[in-house]
Amino acid sequence: GEDVEQSLFLSVREGDSSVINCTYTDSSSTYLYWYKQEPGAGLQLLTYIFSNMDMKQDQRLTVLLNKKDKHLSLRIADTQTGDSAIYFCAEMGGSYIPTFGRGTSLIVHP
Amino acid sequence: SQTIHQWPATLVQPVGSPLSLECTVEGTSNPNLYWYRQAAGRGLQLLFYSVGIGQISSEVPQNLSASRPQDRQFILSSKKLLLSDSGFYLCAWSVSGPVETQYFGPGTRLLVL
């Protein structure tokens, strides 16, 4: 079946850029998503990218997609303490059931 | 705009007791609805999804059941809770269209003692 992999932890210094990586196996993926989960809260959709795009930028967020390697990344510029959260990568193919990664805990320290 | 509600926010229940968690969506019609469980703050396990009233698909065999009595209401139930049912339960909705995106509710934290 489909699989989405992410590293579990990332630690960065405040003001630096964060890059969270994700790999997936489903070659029929149509949409790829990044969600943010703060402690005790639900998942908040940050951004998504169509599989026919290779980059999408939204303010401090940049999503890069390498479809050949099935690799997705989320770059957060000028990372702030408020960016500390768990970030989930997800992909959706032909069905309406997305496959989520296990999430990457981003820790921002002063 | 669309909003999704879940209640209760937190629940502590004894083993063997029944469970009913409710999820409602406002501002959209005929949404796809989903129940997930998140254990220990990590990973999402899809439990049930529904594409319409009375239509429920189960992803994993378990002690839980789901119902959709109304278009924008999704209920997660159990007749007898187990310790292993503890976790963070998330409801989500989506609408079929050019961009199929899920939107999540605030979650219910369930502790079974």
Side-chain angles (χ1 to χ4, degrees):
Chain A
E2 300 86 4
D3 195 21
V4 177
E5 297 286 340
Q6 302 177 239
S7 55
L8 293 184
F9 297 98
L10 176 65
S11 179
V12 300
R13 185 173 296 180
E14 190 175 13
D16 288 351
S17 292
S18 307
V19 179
I20 303 172
N21 294 301
C22 168
T23 58
Y24 59 97
T25 58
D26 187 1
S27 57
S28 67
S29 294
T30 308
Y31 311 109
L32 296 120
Y33 308 86
W34 284 105
Y35 286 85
K36 176 183 180 182
Q37 185 182 32
E38 297 182 354
L43 275 67
Q44 171 195 357
L45 177 68
L46 283 179
T47 186
Y48 62 87
I49 188 168
F50 292 109
S51 60
N52 62 357
M53 299 169 62
D54 51 23
M55 188 180 90
K56 181 177 181 180
Q57 188 157 1
D58 183 2
Q59 299 181 334
R60 292 191 298 122
L61 304 179
T62 303
V63 178
L64 295 178
L65 174 61
N66 182 328
K67 194 174 181 180
K68 174 176 172 290
D69 294 339
K70 299 189 184 68
H71 181 269
L72 182 74
S73 68
L74 174 70
R75 179 177 179 270
I76 306 173
D78 187 26
T79 312
Q80 302 297 308
T81 55
D83 295 323
S84 293
I86 301 176
Y87 290 81
F88 289 92
C89 168
E91 65 86 21
M92 187 178 297
S95 74
Y96 38 76
I97 308 296
T99 301
F100 285 84
R102 293 189 62 197
T104 299
S105 287
L106 175 64
I107 302 161
V108 182
H109 55 89
Chain B
S1 64
Q2 300 87 1
T3 55
I4 178 169
H5 304 279
Q6 286 186 245
W7 63 89
T10 306
L11 191 58
V12 181
Q13 291 286 95
V15 170
S17 64
L19 173 74
S20 180
L21 302 183
E22 190 164 343
C23 170
T24 58
V25 181
E26 296 177 356
T28 187
S29 296
N30 196 29
N32 302 317
L33 296 172
Y34 311 80
W35 277 113
Y36 289 89
R37 177 167 58 205
Q38 185 179 29
R42 304 301 304 233
L44 293 173
Q45 180 188 27
L46 179 63
L47 302 175
F48 301 95
Y49 66 93
S50 171
V51 299
I53 296 175
Q55 300 179 58
I56 309 294
S57 297
S58 175
E59 286 294 293
V60 292
Q62 59 212 328
N63 184 40
L64 303 170
S65 62
S67 61
R68 185 170 177 174
Q70 300 180 44
D71 181 44
R72 290 169 288 180
Q73 184 185 31
F74 206 22
I75 297 173
L76 183 68
S77 304
S78 173
K79 292 182 179 178
K80 286 186 178 182
L81 283 168
L82 305 172
L83 287 174
S84 58
D85 291 325
S86 294
F88 192 48
Y89 288 82
L90 290 161
C91 181
W93 69 272
S94 70
V95 176
S96 298
V99 182
E100 186 80 36
T101 303
Q102 285 190 334
Y103 299 92
F104 285 79
T108 294
R109 186 162 302 283
L110 172 66
L111 179 59
V112 183
L113 300 175

